[in-house]
Amino acid sequence: MAGDSETPLLLESDTIDGVVDFKGRPVLRSTSGGWKAASFIISVEVAERFAYYGITSNLINYLTGPLGQSTVTAAENVNIWSGTASLLPLLGAFLADSFLGRYRTILIASLIYILALSLLTLSATLPSNVGGQAILFFFSLYLVAFAQGGHKPCVQAFGADQFDINHPRERRSRSSFFNWWYFTFTAGVFVSVSVLNYIQDNVGWVLGFGIPCIGMLIALSLFLLGTWTYRFNIPEDQQRGPFSRIGRVFFVALANFQTTQQEPPPSPSLPHQPSQQFSFLNKALIASDGSKENGKACSVFEVEEAKAILRLVPIWATSLIFAIVFSQSSTFFTKQGVTLDRKILPGFYVPPASLQSIISLSIVLFIPVYDRIIVPIARTFTGKPSGISMLQRIGTGMFFSVISMVIAAFVEMKRLKVARDHGLIDMPGVTIPMSIWWLIPQYVLFGVSDVFTMVGLQEFFYDQVPDELRSMGLSLYLSIFGVGSFLSSFLISAIQKGTSKDGSDGWFASNLNRAHLDYFYALLAVLSVVELSAFWFFSKSYVYKRSAT
């Protein structure tokens, strides 16, 4: 009898090709995946972002406070750490896509995260004059970066994997998934930078680092509870991993570069033919003897996989200036806030780092508007599940980032003028009689820009890479901000060195009243315009992997 079998009777119409449950069995669409499974995965992402932003949003104040570093040194350290944290997902994605799988990588990374946060909390209990306190702090800090390197690219990819791209309703849900994913973890960031930063500044860093550790423990428990609902993808090529396949395409194409032999002619029996874009890779279709019989030639599928990766390079490169702009909200924006009047109620002062909650709040408010109003309206005109194309969305956010930098430059000019008018140029410890609310517009525009560009980049790099490399795709997205942070650090260092000659203070003097952040913001605005132009140029010729996008 069917009821006596341990394996449930599966209806063919309800099963999903290419996925299994955690025990390797076929799964039912009605009882697996979708929003039910995604909600468990989102919970661990919210906790991780709560912990990560609880550190990074106020890190510059910890470095300039308890650790006693200068503003420019602290800003460089923040950028280097952020850059490292954003590049390590390349390693995590490689391990996940090639060996461990996303589920196991998330589990291991979460355990390392909990250890790192525990050590970070321990370091905060030690007095700053105790030998080794700074060493333990930085070791813990970079252990956090290592943990999120495995966590970040896999959690979002694993969440998106819960939606079947070949099912119309689930494909539409997956497009919304990226919006609501960003909404939920941004809500966690909002709590982090508004509540956790207040605790760090007014109660203590021990509690400020300890709370995220507890949050990660709870989230990991929820993630494990959802195991029975998850869908696990079956690799298309069990014998050869995606990295070795793609690497082999480049190797064979290079080996055949000088050959005059043409790739095999199109065959009516083959459903797919090689595209002419990056046609030099079509040389990989040729074996050393001009045939495919000896197995040394690559398949059309493998060649097109390699081409899909190459198509991403111009988009990746033309997003780097946006990443440089993005890094300013947790460094110089925060230091500006320290100098302004932060009183909003009698006896209550806004922690400078908590201003970043304005970014989170604007994201939380704008994403429902975008997903429920703008996308459906756009969908009626374009017929696309996402309303507008992913590249159009990314470019729109870049435009808003240009406006945010222009406004930031004018606000900083106003701040410097008020400081001069009140004779406070050489009194950096005195509060400038200018409300901190002047900074709100640039933060709000950052949030709106993020809804377009950040979410667009996430969906783009997940969707446009080969299916087995989706963790790597999201790590490529994250690497934009890693390289951007390093470029920001290099730019700050180079500008400071060039502008502080002959005894002058330079653009990034520790006394911000003698600095020129307005010049820096204006420079970033100009660079952003150049970036947007280049991005538009490459976007026009980009060929999407799927026409539905």
Side-chain angles (χ1 to χ4, degrees):
M1 294 178 61
D4 295 331
S5 174
E6 292 184 3
T7 303
L9 180 63
L10 300 180
L11 299 176
E12 185 176 352
S13 60
D14 196 32
T15 58
I16 309 170
D17 293 333
V19 296
V20 294
D21 68 5
F22 73 105
K23 289 187 176 180
R25 304 170 300 189
V27 297
L28 287 169
R29 186 183 306 278
S30 58
T31 58
S32 70
W35 286 108
K36 178 173 63 176
S39 62
F40 287 106
I41 300 169
I42 287 174
S43 67
V44 75
E45 172 70 2
V46 171
E48 190 275 333
R49 290 291 89 183
F50 174 77
Y52 182 80
Y53 278 93
I55 296 169
T56 188
S57 62
N58 211 17
L59 182 57
I60 192 168
N61 284 334
Y62 187 85
L63 295 178
T64 56
L67 291 190
Q69 296 185 345
S70 67
T71 298
V72 68
T73 300
E76 290 174 357
N77 279 330
V78 171
N79 283 324
I80 291 171
W81 177 74
S82 297
T84 303
S86 296
L87 287 177
L88 281 171
L90 291 169
L91 173 61
F94 171 75
L95 294 175
D97 289 343
S98 299
F99 305 106
L100 298 174
R102 289 164 196 152
Y103 177 86
R104 282 193 291 268
T105 304
I106 294 168
L107 180 59
I108 294 170
S110 296
L111 292 173
I112 296 174
Y113 224 126
I114 292 167
L115 172 63
L117 291 171
S118 300
L119 293 176
L120 197 66
T121 305
L122 175 63
S123 73
T125 65
L126 302 175
S128 57
N129 59 351
V130 172
Q133 190 265 350
I135 295 175
L136 179 60
F137 173 79
F138 279 105
F139 172 78
S140 306
L141 192 65
Y142 278 88
L143 191 60
V144 168
F146 180 77
Q148 76 93 45
H151 195 282
K152 195 72 179 85
C154 297
V155 177
Q156 189 172 15
F158 192 54
D161 287 345
Q162 306 309 308
F163 300 92
D164 182 7
I165 195 69
N166 297 312
H167 190 273
R169 177 176 54 81
E170 290 199 22
R171 177 172 177 80
R172 182 173 295 187
S173 294
R174 201 200 71 177
S175 183
S176 289
F177 166 79
F178 286 94
N179 291 327
W180 292 104
W181 172 275
Y182 206 63
F183 174 91
T184 51
F185 97 66
T186 301
V189 173
F190 175 76
V191 175
S192 179
V193 299
S194 58
V195 177
L196 200 56
N197 289 163
Y198 181 83
I199 291 173
Q200 291 168 346
D201 287 348
N202 296 277
V203 180
W205 290 95
V206 175
L207 191 60
F209 291 146
I211 291 175
C213 183
I214 297 172
M216 279 298 296
L217 278 169
I218 296 172
L220 178 57
S221 301
L222 291 174
F223 176 74
L224 292 173
L225 283 175
T227 299
W228 284 264
T229 68
Y230 298 150
R231 297 173 183 172
F232 297 82
N233 290 331
I234 302 173
E236 295 182 18
D237 189 341
Q238 299 279 5
Q239 297 181 335
R240 187 183 299 135
F243 289 97
S244 62
R245 287 200 309 268
I246 292 172
R248 182 169 173 266
V249 169
F250 286 96
F251 178 80
V252 175
L254 182 63
N256 292 335
F257 189 74
Q258 298 295 334
T259 184
T260 58
Q261 177 72 36
Q262 298 298 313
E263 62 266 19
S267 172
S269 63
L270 293 176
H272 301 292
Q273 304 298 337
S275 65
Q276 291 307 304
Q277 188 179 30
F278 304 121
S279 58
F280 65 91
L281 286 180
N282 291 347
K283 292 283 188 180
L285 298 170
I286 309 167
S288 57
D289 62 354
S291 70
K292 288 194 172 186
E293 295 178 357
N294 63 2
K296 292 184 179 180
C298 300
S299 67
V300 172
F301 170 77
E302 291 170 337
V303 169
E304 292 304 312
E305 270 191 327
K307 290 180 180 180
I309 297 297
L310 277 185
R311 281 197 294 268
L312 301 177
V313 173
I315 305 302
W316 183 92
T318 53
S319 301
L320 291 175
I321 301 299
F322 177 85
I324 294 176
V325 171
F326 176 81
S327 66
Q328 306 314 313
S329 64
S330 61
T331 53
F332 291 126
F333 280 17
T334 300
K335 296 303 294 182
Q336 281 177 283
V338 173
T339 69
L340 300 178
D341 182 5
R342 296 181 282 116
K343 183 177 180 180
I344 59 173
L345 292 173
F348 182 80
Y349 295 84
V350 178
S354 292
L355 277 182
Q356 293 171 66
S357 65
I358 301 297
I359 299 177
S360 303
L361 182 61
S362 61
I363 291 171
V364 167
L365 293 177
F366 187 66
I367 281 183
V369 173
Y370 179 83
D371 191 76
R372 298 303 182 187
I373 299 177
I374 296 177
V375 169
I377 292 174
R379 193 180 288 150
T380 60
F381 291 99
T382 65
K384 295 180 167 89
S386 56
I388 59 176
S389 73
M390 290 177 280
L391 291 177
Q392 288 171 337
R393 181 173 186 172
I394 294 167
T396 302
M398 288 181 175
F399 172 77
F400 280 111
S401 73
V402 173
I403 304 302
S404 71
M405 280 294 96
V406 171
I407 290 177
F410 279 111
V411 170
E412 177 62 7
M413 289 171 62
K414 167 74 174 177
R415 191 190 70 83
L416 292 174
K417 182 177 184 302
V418 172
R420 286 194 301 269
D421 291 346
H422 288 79
L424 301 177
I425 292 295
D426 294 314
M427 303 174 68
V430 177
T431 300
I432 294 174
M434 176 178 169
S435 175
I436 199 168
W437 300 119
W438 275 88
L439 298 178
I440 286 182
Q442 63 202 60
Y443 279 106
V444 170
L445 284 170
F446 255 55
V448 175
S449 175
D450 281 3
V451 171
F452 283 99
T453 298
M454 295 284 280
V455 182
L457 285 170
Q458 290 170 13
E459 185 175 5
F460 177 80
F461 280 94
Y462 173 88
D463 188 80
Q464 295 299 296
V465 296
D467 292 348
E468 292 180 64
L469 288 177
R470 284 170 171 167
S471 296
M472 181 57 67
L474 287 171
S475 71
L476 286 173
Y477 143 74
L478 291 167
S479 72
I480 292 173
F481 297 91
V483 175
S485 292
F486 283 120
L487 290 176
S488 178
S489 180
F490 170 78
L491 193 61
I492 290 169
S493 179
I495 290 174
Q496 180 64 11
K497 185 176 295 185
T499 58
S500 59
K501 294 178 179 179
D502 302 324
S504 59
D505 295 302
W507 286 12
F508 308 111
S510 293
N511 177 3
L512 288 190
N513 297 339
R514 285 196 170 276
H516 274 293
L517 295 183
D518 51 338
Y519 294 171
F520 183 56
Y521 295 155
L523 174 63
L524 291 182
V526 172
L527 292 176
S528 295
V529 171
V530 175
E531 172 196 55
L532 183 57
S533 301
F535 179 84
W536 176 76
F537 173 80
F538 287 111
S539 296
K540 287 194 305 179
S541 59
Y542 185 84
V543 179
Y544 282 98
K545 176 182 169 185
R546 298 182 179 93
S547 59
T549 53

PDB file of all heavy atoms in Angstrom, residues 362-377:
ATOM      1  N   SER A 362      14.614  54.985   4.857  1.00  0.00           N
ATOM      2  CA  SER A 362      14.162  55.351   3.514  1.00  0.00           C
ATOM      3  C   SER A 362      14.037  54.120   2.624  1.00  0.00           C
ATOM      4  O   SER A 362      13.129  54.029   1.786  1.00  0.00           O
ATOM      5  CB  SER A 362      15.111  56.376   2.885  1.00  0.00           C
ATOM      6  OG  SER A 362      16.421  55.855   2.757  1.00  0.00           O
ATOM      7  N   ILE A 363      14.931  53.128   2.829  1.00  0.00           N
ATOM      8  CA  ILE A 363      14.835  51.875   2.073  1.00  0.00           C
ATOM      9  C   ILE A 363      13.570  51.116   2.466  1.00  0.00           C
ATOM     10  O   ILE A 363      12.806  50.644   1.603  1.00  0.00           O
ATOM     11  CB  ILE A 363      16.081  50.998   2.312  1.00  0.00           C
ATOM     12  CG1 ILE A 363      17.310  51.639   1.673  1.00  0.00           C
ATOM     13  CG2 ILE A 363      15.881  49.588   1.762  1.00  0.00           C
ATOM     14  CD1 ILE A 363      18.618  50.965   2.042  1.00  0.00           C
ATOM     15  N   VAL A 364      13.338  50.992   3.771  1.00  0.00           N
ATOM     16  CA  VAL A 364      12.166  50.270   4.265  1.00  0.00           C
ATOM     17  C   VAL A 364      10.869  50.913   3.766  1.00  0.00           C
ATOM     18  O   VAL A 364       9.909  50.219   3.426  1.00  0.00           O
ATOM     19  CB  VAL A 364      12.190  50.220   5.811  1.00  0.00           C
ATOM     20  CG1 VAL A 364      10.863  49.761   6.367  1.00  0.00           C
ATOM     21  CG2 VAL A 364      13.309  49.308   6.292  1.00  0.00           C
ATOM     22  N   LEU A 365      10.836  52.240   3.681  1.00  0.00           N
ATOM     23  CA  LEU A 365       9.631  52.933   3.216  1.00  0.00           C
ATOM     24  C   LEU A 365       9.482  52.880   1.697  1.00  0.00           C
ATOM     25  O   LEU A 365       8.352  52.821   1.183  1.00  0.00           O
ATOM     26  CB  LEU A 365       9.664  54.396   3.677  1.00  0.00           C
ATOM     27  CG  LEU A 365       9.565  54.633   5.187  1.00  0.00           C
ATOM     28  CD1 LEU A 365       9.693  56.118   5.496  1.00  0.00           C
ATOM     29  CD2 LEU A 365       8.242  54.089   5.738  1.00  0.00           C
ATOM     30  N   PHE A 366      10.602  52.878   0.977  1.00  0.00           N
ATOM     31  CA  PHE A 366      10.520  52.989  -0.482  1.00  0.00           C
ATOM     32  C   PHE A 366      10.353  51.641  -1.183  1.00  0.00           C
ATOM     33  O   PHE A 366       9.726  51.571  -2.248  1.00  0.00           O
ATOM     34  CB  PHE A 366      11.763  53.705  -1.022  1.00  0.00           C
ATOM     35  CG  PHE A 366      11.697  54.008  -2.493  1.00  0.00           C
ATOM     36  CD1 PHE A 366      10.760  54.911  -2.994  1.00  0.00           C
ATOM     37  CD2 PHE A 366      12.554  53.386  -3.391  1.00  0.00           C
ATOM     38  CE1 PHE A 366      10.682  55.197  -4.352  1.00  0.00           C
ATOM     39  CE2 PHE A 366      12.487  53.662  -4.743  1.00  0.00           C
ATOM     40  CZ  PHE A 366      11.551  54.570  -5.229  1.00  0.00           C
ATOM     41  N   ILE A 367      10.887  50.566  -0.606  1.00  0.00           N
ATOM     42  CA  ILE A 367      10.785  49.256  -1.270  1.00  0.00           C
ATOM     43  C   ILE A 367       9.332  48.828  -1.479  1.00  0.00           C
ATOM     44  O   ILE A 367       8.984  48.370  -2.573  1.00  0.00           O
ATOM     45  CB  ILE A 367      11.583  48.187  -0.497  1.00  0.00           C
ATOM     46  CG1 ILE A 367      13.072  48.322  -0.835  1.00  0.00           C
ATOM     47  CG2 ILE A 367      11.116  46.781  -0.850  1.00  0.00           C
ATOM     48  CD1 ILE A 367      13.961  47.287  -0.189  1.00  0.00           C
ATOM     49  N   PRO A 368       8.433  48.948  -0.477  1.00  0.00           N
ATOM     50  CA  PRO A 368       7.031  48.599  -0.763  1.00  0.00           C
ATOM     51  C   PRO A 368       6.425  49.451  -1.876  1.00  0.00           C
ATOM     52  O   PRO A 368       5.630  48.953  -2.689  1.00  0.00           O
ATOM     53  CB  PRO A 368       6.333  48.854   0.577  1.00  0.00           C
ATOM     54  CG  PRO A 368       7.407  48.721   1.596  1.00  0.00           C
ATOM     55  CD  PRO A 368       8.634  49.270   0.948  1.00  0.00           C
ATOM     56  N   VAL A 369       6.800  50.721  -1.923  1.00  0.00           N
ATOM     57  CA  VAL A 369       6.302  51.598  -2.991  1.00  0.00           C
ATOM     58  C   VAL A 369       6.816  51.099  -4.342  1.00  0.00           C
ATOM     59  O   VAL A 369       6.057  51.014  -5.324  1.00  0.00           O
ATOM     60  CB  VAL A 369       6.759  53.057  -2.752  1.00  0.00           C
ATOM     61  CG1 VAL A 369       6.383  53.941  -3.937  1.00  0.00           C
ATOM     62  CG2 VAL A 369       6.138  53.601  -1.473  1.00  0.00           C
ATOM     63  N   TYR A 370       8.083  50.743  -4.369  1.00  0.00           N
ATOM     64  CA  TYR A 370       8.673  50.269  -5.622  1.00  0.00           C
ATOM     65  C   TYR A 370       8.051  48.946  -6.059  1.00  0.00           C
ATOM     66  O   TYR A 370       7.660  48.772  -7.221  1.00  0.00           O
ATOM     67  CB  TYR A 370      10.190  50.105  -5.460  1.00  0.00           C
ATOM     68  CG  TYR A 370      10.878  49.604  -6.712  1.00  0.00           C
ATOM     69  CD1 TYR A 370      11.234  50.492  -7.716  1.00  0.00           C
ATOM     70  CD2 TYR A 370      11.138  48.251  -6.897  1.00  0.00           C
ATOM     71  CE1 TYR A 370      11.849  50.049  -8.879  1.00  0.00           C
ATOM     72  CE2 TYR A 370      11.753  47.791  -8.054  1.00  0.00           C
ATOM     73  CZ  TYR A 370      12.098  48.698  -9.044  1.00  0.00           C
ATOM     74  OH  TYR A 370      12.692  48.243 -10.193  1.00  0.00           O
ATOM     75  N   ASP A 371       7.963  47.987  -5.106  1.00  0.00           N
ATOM     76  CA  ASP A 371       7.521  46.636  -5.457  1.00  0.00           C
ATOM     77  C   ASP A 371       6.023  46.569  -5.745  1.00  0.00           C
ATOM     78  O   ASP A 371       5.596  45.817  -6.628  1.00  0.00           O
ATOM     79  CB  ASP A 371       7.870  45.669  -4.323  1.00  0.00           C
ATOM     80  CG  ASP A 371       7.677  44.217  -4.715  1.00  0.00           C
ATOM     81  OD1 ASP A 371       8.535  43.697  -5.453  1.00  0.00           O
ATOM     82  OD2 ASP A 371       6.677  43.602  -4.298  1.00  0.00           O
ATOM     83  N   ARG A 372       5.219  47.357  -5.012  1.00  0.00           N
ATOM     84  CA  ARG A 372       3.761  47.243  -5.125  1.00  0.00           C
ATOM     85  C   ARG A 372       3.120  48.292  -6.018  1.00  0.00           C
ATOM     86  O   ARG A 372       1.972  48.139  -6.440  1.00  0.00           O
ATOM     87  CB  ARG A 372       3.129  47.322  -3.720  1.00  0.00           C
ATOM     88  CG  ARG A 372       3.550  46.206  -2.792  1.00  0.00           C
ATOM     89  CD  ARG A 372       3.238  44.848  -3.381  1.00  0.00           C
ATOM     90  NE  ARG A 372       3.592  43.760  -2.469  1.00  0.00           N
ATOM     91  CZ  ARG A 372       3.549  42.484  -2.793  1.00  0.00           C
ATOM     92  NH1 ARG A 372       3.205  42.134  -4.024  1.00  0.00           N
ATOM     93  NH2 ARG A 372       3.903  41.552  -1.924  1.00  0.00           N
ATOM     94  N   ILE A 373       3.844  49.356  -6.317  1.00  0.00           N
ATOM     95  CA  ILE A 373       3.254  50.424  -7.144  1.00  0.00           C
ATOM     96  C   ILE A 373       4.048  50.625  -8.435  1.00  0.00           C
ATOM     97  O   ILE A 373       3.503  50.514  -9.534  1.00  0.00           O
ATOM     98  CB  ILE A 373       3.179  51.750  -6.347  1.00  0.00           C
ATOM     99  CG1 ILE A 373       2.280  51.576  -5.112  1.00  0.00           C
ATOM    100  CG2 ILE A 373       2.648  52.873  -7.240  1.00  0.00           C
ATOM    101  CD1 ILE A 373       2.198  52.793  -4.223  1.00  0.00           C
ATOM    102  N   ILE A 374       5.348  50.910  -8.291  1.00  0.00           N
ATOM    103  CA  ILE A 374       6.150  51.232  -9.474  1.00  0.00           C
ATOM    104  C   ILE A 374       6.299  50.021 -10.393  1.00  0.00           C
ATOM    105  O   ILE A 374       6.110  50.127 -11.616  1.00  0.00           O
ATOM    106  CB  ILE A 374       7.534  51.770  -9.047  1.00  0.00           C
ATOM    107  CG1 ILE A 374       7.376  53.086  -8.282  1.00  0.00           C
ATOM    108  CG2 ILE A 374       8.427  51.974 -10.275  1.00  0.00           C
ATOM    109  CD1 ILE A 374       8.673  53.661  -7.761  1.00  0.00           C
ATOM    110  N   VAL A 375       6.632  48.840  -9.826  1.00  0.00           N
ATOM    111  CA  VAL A 375       6.841  47.648 -10.659  1.00  0.00           C
ATOM    112  C   VAL A 375       5.579  47.237 -11.407  1.00  0.00           C
ATOM    113  O   VAL A 375       5.633  46.997 -12.624  1.00  0.00           O
ATOM    114  CB  VAL A 375       7.391  46.477  -9.810  1.00  0.00           C
ATOM    115  CG1 VAL A 375       7.350  45.167 -10.599  1.00  0.00           C
ATOM    116  CG2 VAL A 375       8.820  46.772  -9.378  1.00  0.00           C
ATOM    117  N   PRO A 376       4.388  47.132 -10.750  1.00  0.00           N
ATOM    118  CA  PRO A 376       3.189  46.763 -11.511  1.00  0.00           C
ATOM    119  C   PRO A 376       2.852  47.749 -12.632  1.00  0.00           C
ATOM    120  O   PRO A 376       2.413  47.340 -13.715  1.00  0.00           O
ATOM    121  CB  PRO A 376       2.085  46.748 -10.442  1.00  0.00           C
ATOM    122  CG  PRO A 376       2.807  46.454  -9.167  1.00  0.00           C
ATOM    123  CD  PRO A 376       4.118  47.177  -9.302  1.00  0.00           C
ATOM    124  N   ILE A 377       3.059  49.051 -12.367  1.00  0.00           N
ATOM    125  CA  ILE A 377       2.789  50.039 -13.417  1.00  0.00           C
ATOM    126  C   ILE A 377       3.761  49.851 -14.575  1.00  0.00           C
ATOM    127  O   ILE A 377       3.365  49.824 -15.750  1.00  0.00           O
ATOM    128  CB  ILE A 377       2.891  51.473 -12.843  1.00  0.00           C
ATOM    129  CG1 ILE A 377       1.756  51.728 -11.851  1.00  0.00           C
ATOM    130  CG2 ILE A 377       2.862  52.500 -13.975  1.00  0.00           C
ATOM    131  CD1 ILE A 377       1.863  53.063 -11.144  1.00  0.00           C
TER     132      ILE A 377
END
